[in-house]
Amino acid sequence: MRVLVLNGPNLNLLGHREPHLYGSTTLAEIEARLGELAAELGVTIECRQSNHEGVLVDWIHGAKGAFDAILFNAGAYTHTSIALRDALAAVGLPTIEVHLSNVHAREEFRRHSMLAPVCRGVISGFGPLSYLLALRALIDNKRSES
Ligand code: CA2
């Protein structure tokens, strides 16, 4: 099983800015932990981050045939992007929406996700653990299908 791990805008700043909001773990550290878990569970991952909506759309399109599932923290695009939602719906790969923070405990505008309706599920509020839980969920979901 091959999982594409996508991170959206500003997540490259993790661990370097605003640690009170998003913690002190960097994106590279989260990706390294995910890599360890993936190896343990016998799956492969590829991690990418972009601050650009169109780049994320292109990567989702390219995932068809190359990956079996997507783990996606779309950052602020979660709440705004019809383009990302349409891309996920078009490729139809099982996707889990991930957030470090509990988006429901924050500003009202973060409570709405454009992406959640086309995702298998949402994991939000557990910091870096959200990513690890999502990887486990994607694998479990895939294995229970086959
Ligand atoms: O909690 C999450 O993972 C979010 O996807 C993070 C997004 C936010 O817009 C979503 O509502 C929830 C923001 C990512 C910004 O990341 C930063 C990291 C360090 C410093 C500044 C921003």
Side-chain angles (χ1 to χ4, degrees), residues 45-62:
I45 61 165
E46 184 168 320
C47 300
R48 302 180 193 164
Q49 186 275 334
S50 178
N51 294 320
H52 305 278
E53 191 175 19
V55 171
L56 293 163
V57 168
D58 287 343
W59 284 343
I60 292 166
H61 291 175

Side-chain angles (χ1 to χ4, degrees), residues 10 13-14 17-18 22 73 75-76 79 99-101 103 110:
N10 297 310
L13 300 178
L14 278 181
R17 305 261 195 289
E18 302 194 85
Y22 297 112
N73 185 349
H79 318 294
H99 300 287
L100 293 150
S101 62
V103 289
R110 293 189 205 274

